[in-house]
């Protein structure tokens, strides 16, 4: 799958998985921070949920939150990691 | 006396004059748009948390000193959602949000979180006496901390699974619809400006007629109420308790029933208290079993839950 | 005992006149004390738990099987869950310890305040079966909820007074104790049996694992290298009585202070400065008319999660100019969730009763930012007032203070 398509698909999956009913894929810029104010405003429970998403959709195992923090910065970093480590 | 200053309710009803009836034996709550709950927070909430928070929000702006919630089912629906994940993924990698939302105190804690409320925070899970336990705790708090305000609510949602369980055990059926909703109250020890005052609350368990009879005579203490607000439904097994109540309030008291509006649920009595505080001047006929002779100033609410849990609330209306 | 003004209390003193406890370190009060004195942990890899995590993660499991618990009490009904059986074990010991015969429990002014987070959800597989097929004839339908535990006790002992259950996650039974005490002080009961129970359940194990706060090794509270908590199971009940009736028999200690607050920071984590814990501890001291310097020992919540120990540690440093001896007893029992407040209240009372401090376990290095070191060896030590902390999901924070009678 091309990177652009993957980015769009990931955004849809994030919206669905985290039930972000007010958000569209178009409103999530590739470099918009996932966490904290000014970004998508996700929190620590969401980071655990995103680790589950990566596991279920892409077969990626992230051992713990410290590792997760480096991956879960924005859509760009997530897609980069998926492309390198996906098993699905 | 525990004075009620504000009330708020999310229920299956939009107004008291054209009541919604059950569909598929469910009386589902009419949910508002929840404009006061940030989307980021709303997205996670189970229905009972949404309803509890949504009903309580207008009252939270009074910055209560404590938040007390009674819920019979707690987060049962989310519990089962999480349970399904456990099985589907064979105890593999699971989403924690559902687990956190499934905890019974999710409603009270979310209320505290939304308003950064650091006061007393408690959740009672005692089936049909959950809301009453919270009221009793508020009663004690007003004695212990004069001048402070307490937010007390009763919240329950119909969970498909609970409905099936309750049907299998014979609790829901013809004439006994399942209900859901949230009724929340702002309470304190100040009569000025109060809508109503709770004179007494009695919680009883068991099926000893003399014990329940003495609860009624004790709470009434020689003064007959203007109105009995009764939790009678089509469940014939509970009729003896409602007949006892009707006898003991005396022939002059009016009798009204409320469960055709809110359905049967562990926190139906919270809806009853809300209704008692918000009775319209002209009573819709569907509420009335026996017309009250005069304005209903003194109201006895009696609810029976699954035959063995009895709650009596004596309310004096001021407005 | 010096007592200043007590803000926010109704009248009357509340005493502990009976105790019942069952945990991973013992099924009697004496057995539990013996383990604490000798630093013997109950954490291990065996558990009466049907889960892929049994034998993989460490738990504070009780050795008795559910069948053995049933036999002990002659209970055939499969709807009486492990959680309820543990509650029954502790409850029956507590009332016997207090010299209350069963007729004494029938009175309208004897109340039961229970607490549990698991309730009947320990029947995880049965619940799944019941939700996925027609459930006519299932013996478990009225056993799953939290109330099923106290309702069983109320029915078995024919109790006619107030009975209720509190669920505020990990602070549940601490809240049951403060609620019970207040029932007495407000004149709504003369005797209250207050406490809680929780059993190991596939449901909760998976929930905590999803939150990534379970440690793969024995937990290390307040240690720099702590890596999460161990779940445990157990039950404890205190018999609380007011001044008029407490003189009958033994009196262990007085419950002199309590406070419940809300951290209001996050659904499953405490604020880094430990605001909720600070307010709860501070409020408990104020309600007891005590100052921080009066506290002889703190039984901390100390779950060994990164978040709790840092937040609780910071809160303690904020409140206490000189921090008293403290430890977490969770390396002995595991985190017993809804039972934790009551179990740890019992341990706090033992400390007062016997004037001794129990060692914290699995501690090598303090958290660098805090520099806090728990009690590391058993010692006899004068203890007048003990503070016991319990902090739960949703930021629910409760602190109790027990005091010596002399």
């Amino acid at each position: 799958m091309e990177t652009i398509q993957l980015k769009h698909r990931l955004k849809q999956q994030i919206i669905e998985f985290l039930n972000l009913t007010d958000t569209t894929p178009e409103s999530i810029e590739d470099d918009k921070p996932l966490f904290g104010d000014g970004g998508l405003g996700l929190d620590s429970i969401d980071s655990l949920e995103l680790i589950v998403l990566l596991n279920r959709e892409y077969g990626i195992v992230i051992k713990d939150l410290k590792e997760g923090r480096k991956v879960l910065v924005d859509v760009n970093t997530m897609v980069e990691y998926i492309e390198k480590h996906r098993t699905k | 006396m525990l004075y009620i200053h504000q009330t708020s309710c999310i229920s299956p009803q939009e107004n008291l004059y054209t009541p919604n009836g059950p569909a598929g034996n469910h009386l589902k709550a009419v949910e508002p748009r929840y404009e006061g709950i940030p989307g980021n927070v709303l997205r996670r909430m189970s229905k009972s948390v949404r309803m509890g928070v949504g009903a309580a929000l207008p009252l939270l702006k009074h910055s209560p000193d404590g938040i007390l919630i009674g819920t019979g089912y707690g987060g049962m629906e989310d519990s089962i959602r999480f349970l399904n994940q456990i099985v589907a993924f064979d105890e593999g990698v699971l989403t924690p949000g559902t687990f956190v939302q499934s905890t019974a105190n999710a409603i009270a804690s979310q209320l505290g979180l939304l308003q950064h409320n650091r006061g007393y925070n408690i959740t009672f899970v005692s089936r049909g006496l959950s809301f009453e336990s919270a009221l009793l705790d508020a009663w004690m708090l007003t004695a212990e901390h004069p001048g402070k305000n307490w937010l007390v609510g009763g919240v329950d949602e119909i969970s498909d699974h609970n409905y099936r369980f309750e049907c299998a055990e014979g609790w829901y059926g013809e004439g006994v619809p399942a209900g859901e909703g949230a009724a929340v109250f702002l309470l304190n020890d100040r009569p000025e400006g109060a809508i109503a005052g709770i004179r007494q609350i009695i919680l009883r368990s068991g099926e000893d007629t003399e014990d329940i009879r003495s609860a009624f005579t004790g709470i009434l203490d020689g003064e007959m109420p203007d109105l009995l607000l009764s939790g009678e439904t089509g469940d014939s097994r509970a009729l003896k308790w409602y007949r006892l109540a009707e006898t003991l309030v005396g022939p002059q008291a009016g009798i009204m029933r409320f469960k055709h509006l809110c359905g049967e649920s562990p926190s139906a009595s919270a809806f009853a208290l809300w209704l008692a505080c918000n009775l319209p001047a002209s009573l819709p006929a569907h509420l009335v079993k026996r017309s009250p002779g005069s304005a209903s100033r003194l109201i006895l609410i009696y609810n029976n839950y699954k035959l063995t849990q009895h709650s009596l609330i004596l309310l004096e209306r001021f407005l | 005992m010096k007592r200043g003004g007590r803000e926010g209390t109704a009248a009357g003193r509340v005493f502990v006149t009976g105790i019942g406890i069952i945990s991973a370190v013992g099924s009697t009060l004496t057995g539990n004390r013996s383990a604490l004195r000798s630093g013997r942990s109950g954490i291990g890899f065996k558990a009466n738990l049907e889960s892929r995590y049994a034998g993989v993660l460490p738990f504070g499991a009780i050795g008795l099987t559910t069948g053995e618990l049933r036999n002990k009490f002659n209970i055939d009904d499969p709807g009486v869950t492990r959680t309820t059986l543990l509650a029954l074990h502790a409850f029956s010991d507590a009332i016997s310890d207090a010299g209350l015969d069963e007729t004494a429990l029938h009175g309208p002014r004897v109340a039961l305040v229970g607490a549990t987070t698991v309730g009947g959800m320990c029947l995880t597989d049965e619940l799944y079966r019941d939700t996925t097929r027609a459930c006519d004839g299932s013996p478990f339908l009225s056993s799953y909820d939290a109330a099923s535990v106290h309702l069983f006790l109320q029915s078995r002992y024919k109790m006619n007074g107030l009975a209720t259950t509190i669920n505020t996650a990990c602070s549940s039974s601490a809240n049951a104790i403060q609620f019970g005490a207040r029932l007495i002080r407000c004149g709504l009961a003369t005797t209250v049996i207050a406490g809680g129970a929780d059993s190991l359940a596939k449901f909760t194990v998976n929930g905590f694992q999803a939150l990534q706060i379970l440690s793969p090794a024995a937990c290390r509270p307040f240690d720099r290298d702590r890596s999460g908590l161990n779940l445990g199971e157990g039950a404890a009940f205190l018999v609380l009585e007011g001044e008029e009736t407490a003189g009958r028999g033994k009196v262990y200690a007085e419950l002199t202070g309590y406070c419940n607050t809300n951290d209001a920071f996050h659904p499953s984590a405490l604020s880094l400065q430990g605001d909720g814990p600070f307010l709860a501890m501070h409020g408990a001291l104020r309600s007891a008319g005590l100052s921080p310097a009066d506290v002889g020992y703190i039984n901390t919540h100390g779950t060994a999660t990164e978040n709790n120990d840092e937040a609780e540690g910071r809160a303690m440093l904020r409140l206490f100019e000189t921090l008293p001896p403290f430890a977490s007893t969770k390396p002995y029992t595991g985190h017993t969730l809804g039972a934790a407040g009551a179990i740890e209240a019992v341990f706090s009372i033992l400390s007062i009763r016997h004037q001794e401090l129990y060692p914290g376990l699995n501690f090598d290095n303090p958290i660098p930012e805090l520099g806090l070191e728990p009690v590391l060896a058993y010692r006899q030590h004068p203890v007048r007032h003990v503070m016991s902390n319990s902090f739960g999901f949703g930021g629910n924070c409760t602190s109790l203070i027990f005091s010596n009678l002399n």
Side-chain angles (χ1 to χ4, degrees), chain B residues 91 121 125 127 133 137 164, chain C residues 51-52 133 145 182 260:
Chain B
E91 298 188 82
N121 193 293
V125 286
R127 290 193 192 163
S133 300
D137 197 353
R164 287 176 53 240
Chain C
S51 162
R52 68 150 64 189
R133 60 169 174 99
D145 70 342
R182 291 164 52 228
N260 168 269

Side-chain angles (χ1 to χ4, degrees), chain B residues 197-307:
Chain B
I198 297 176
R199 280 202 196 165
Q200 198 174 350
I201 311 154
I202 292 185
L203 290 71
R204 280 282 193 276
S205 300
E207 297 187 88
D208 182 317
T209 311
E210 280 323 300
D211 183 43
I212 305 306
R213 181 189 297 274
S214 74
F216 277 98
T217 52
I219 203 171
L220 294 174
D221 195 24
E223 184 180 359
M224 291 297 127
D226 302 310
L227 177 68
L228 169 69
L229 188 49
S230 158
E232 182 187 335
T233 62
D235 188 341
S236 57
R237 298 168 296 182
L239 279 180
K240 71 177 237 198
W241 300 111
Y242 293 111
R243 295 292 166 265
L244 180 66
E246 288 173 9
T247 306
L248 293 174
V249 295
Q252 308 303 321
I255 301 171
M256 280 177 28
R257 289 173 286 197
F258 62 89
K259 277 192 189 153
H260 60 290
L261 299 175
C262 64
E264 179 65 276
S265 91
S267 28
S269 51
F271 176 82
L273 183 62
W274 175 86
L275 181 62
C277 292
N278 292 281
L279 277 178
S282 136
L283 294 173
H286 65 82
L287 282 173
V288 180
K289 186 175 179 184
R290 183 166 77 202
S291 240
S294 55
S296 299
R297 186 190 56 86
L298 191 65
I299 301 176
L300 178 66
I301 302 170
Y302 170 66
N303 190 46
N304 179 289
Y305 185 74
K306 291 190 173 176
L307 305 181

Side-chain angles (χ1 to χ4, degrees), chain C residues 39-115:
Chain C
R40 176 172 44 86
S41 166
I43 306 286
F45 287 88
K46 279 194 181 163
N48 288 297
L49 177 67
E50 299 265 336
S51 162
R52 68 150 64 189
Y53 296 108
V56 171
L57 287 175
F59 294 105
I62 289 169
L64 292 167
T65 64
T66 304
E68 283 165 334
L69 286 164
R70 269 188 218 295
N71 289 339
K72 176 168 178 165
F73 295 103
N74 293 315
I75 289 173
D76 291 322
D77 179 1
V80 180
T81 68
R82 185 176 178 79
T83 306
T84 301
L85 291 163
L86 293 176
L88 176 59
H89 197 289
F91 183 92
S92 61
D93 281 354
I95 58 172
S96 157
D97 191 44
L100 290 170
D101 65 41
E102 293 195 13
T103 51
L105 298 179
H106 301 167
R109 291 170 60 68
V110 178
L112 167 60
V113 186

